[in-house]
């Protein structure tokens, strides 16, 4: 199913006031215990983040398992597009919720942001390399080695604790905000940009249109039913 572009009128969801939505009511949270084990529920924030992770891993596999430079270029663009948007959406929607909802949330969120910064710097290098460059695959492999460790800890620790603290309706709302936010984020890595709202929001809104214009002239995998500026890849 194609990702649908959002109407400009809904841009208000990314204002400093509402991204991420403030946690103002205790009923949005439930007591957390270390023994709590929360299964991934349909429509939850964990589900959409897991889906993004699998998509990123898929694009990585496509690149490293191909010797065709055109194929590698197309999936390079897809990989960068997916990871850049995913990282910023987590920083705007998920990490502030971790900070406000968990006892050790600030420490967890700061650690995740630091790991994101490393990934953004690696991604910036990778997105500017040509598939025929001798550094192309080694740079991607180094990026993915660190990213896989981040993904594992996020899926097995951070998201488990967050879901255990959230009521299901709040988790679904975060998932909606997460997907909506990705529609307005930059589609390339900009490691010098802020990584916290409201400044990350403001810079993203200025940078994203330029990235999206350039996306029109980039090559994409044939499996895409539409280029990202027209709604994104079909999963």
């Amino acid at each position: 199913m194609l990702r649908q572009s959002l109407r400009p009128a809904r841009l208000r969801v990314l204002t400093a006031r509402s991204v991420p939505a403030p946690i103002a009511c205790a009923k949005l949270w439930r007591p957390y215990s270390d023994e709590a084990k929360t299964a991934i529920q349909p429509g939850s924030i964990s589900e959409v983040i897991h889906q993004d992770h699998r998509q990123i891993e898929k694009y990585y596999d496509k690149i490293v398992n191909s010797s065709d430079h055109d194929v590698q270029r197309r999936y390079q663009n897809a990989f960068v597009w997916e990871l850049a948007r995913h990282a910023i959406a987590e920083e705007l929607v998920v990490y502030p919720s971790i900070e406000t909802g968990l006892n050790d949330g600030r420490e967890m969120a700061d650690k995740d942001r630091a790991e994101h910064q490393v990934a953004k710097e690696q991604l910036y290098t990778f997105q500017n390399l040509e598939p025929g460059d001798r550094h192309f695959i080694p740079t991607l492999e180094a990026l993915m080695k660190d990213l896989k460790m981040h993904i594992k800890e996020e899926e097995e620790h951070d998201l488990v604790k967050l879901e255990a603290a959230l009521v299901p309706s709040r988790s679904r709302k975060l998932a909606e905000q997460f997907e909506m936010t990705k529609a307005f984020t930059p589609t390339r890595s900009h490691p010098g940009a802020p990584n916290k709202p409201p400044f990350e929001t403001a810079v993203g809104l200025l940078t994203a249109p330029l990235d999206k214009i350039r996306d029109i002239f980039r090559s994409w995998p044939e499996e895409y039913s539409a280029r990202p500026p027209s709604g994104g890849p079909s999963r």
Side-chain angles (χ1 to χ4, degrees):
M1 179 177 65
L2 297 181
R3 297 176 183 170
Q4 298 299 319
S5 298
L6 299 174
R7 295 189 297 270
R10 303 196 66 178
L11 199 60
R12 64 180 182 275
V13 300
L14 289 180
T15 63
R17 179 181 177 184
S18 60
V19 176
I23 309 301
C25 181
K27 69 179 181 180
L28 297 176
W29 299 90
R30 59 190 177 199
Y32 174 78
S33 65
D34 291 334
E35 294 76 22
K37 298 294 182 181
T38 306
I40 298 177
Q41 299 298 319
S44 67
I45 186 61
S46 289
E47 183 187 50
V48 298
I49 289 178
H50 276 69
Q51 288 175 346
D52 275 8
H53 289 167
R54 303 293 84 79
Q55 196 76 358
I56 290 165
E57 292 166 351
K58 171 187 172 181
Y59 294 154
Y60 165 79
D61 289 340
K62 292 285 188 179
I63 296 169
V64 298
N65 291 322
S66 176
S67 58
D68 186 312
H69 289 175
D70 180 63
V71 171
Q72 289 179 324
R73 166 62 79 191
R74 292 173 184 274
Y75 281 102
Q76 176 191 25
N77 289 331
F79 179 90
V80 172
W81 187 82
E82 189 72 49
L83 180 54
R85 296 162 63 253
H86 172 85
I88 296 176
E90 282 193 330
E91 291 165 4
L92 291 177
V93 176
V94 181
Y95 295 167
S97 295
I98 289 176
E99 285 180 322
T100 58
L102 302 177
N103 291 333
D104 56 348
R106 183 173 296 277
E107 179 181 350
M108 289 169 56
D110 285 345
K111 180 177 182 295
D112 286 334
R113 287 191 180 99
E115 292 173 354
H116 269 198
Q117 184 61 32
V118 173
K120 288 177 182 179
E121 292 170 359
Q122 294 172 315
L123 186 62
Y124 180 80
T125 299
F126 176 66
Q127 72 188 20
N128 291 301
L129 291 174
E130 296 292 330
D133 192 298
R134 63 187 180 90
H135 298 295
F136 183 80
I137 294 297
T139 300
L140 176 60
E141 289 178 336
L143 188 166
M144 202 63 190
K145 179 180 179 181
D146 292 339
L147 188 60
K148 283 182 176 179
M149 294 176 61
H150 172 77
I151 287 173
K152 178 178 175 65
E153 184 169 359
E154 194 169 72
E155 292 185 353
E156 296 181 1
H157 179 260
D158 297 10
L159 290 175
V160 173
K161 293 189 71 174
L162 180 61
E163 291 287 7
L166 290 172
V167 296
S169 61
R170 178 58 185 163
S171 181
R172 291 192 295 270
K173 184 64 176 179
L174 281 179
E176 293 172 1
Q177 291 178 335
F178 180 80
E179 293 290 3
M180 190 178 296
T181 299
K182 287 197 298 181
F184 297 103
T185 59
T187 61
R188 306 286 280 185
S189 179
H190 301 278
N195 62 7
K196 292 183 180 180
F199 298 110
E200 185 172 26
T201 305
V203 172
L205 289 173
L206 292 173
T207 308
L210 299 176
D211 285 351
K212 292 176 185 295
I213 289 172
R214 296 186 180 109
D215 283 342
I216 297 172
F217 303 99
R218 294 188 175 105
S219 57
W220 303 94
E222 293 182 0
E223 67 194 61
Y224 282 20
S225 297
R227 291 181 176 180
S230 300
S234 175
R235 287 186 176 177

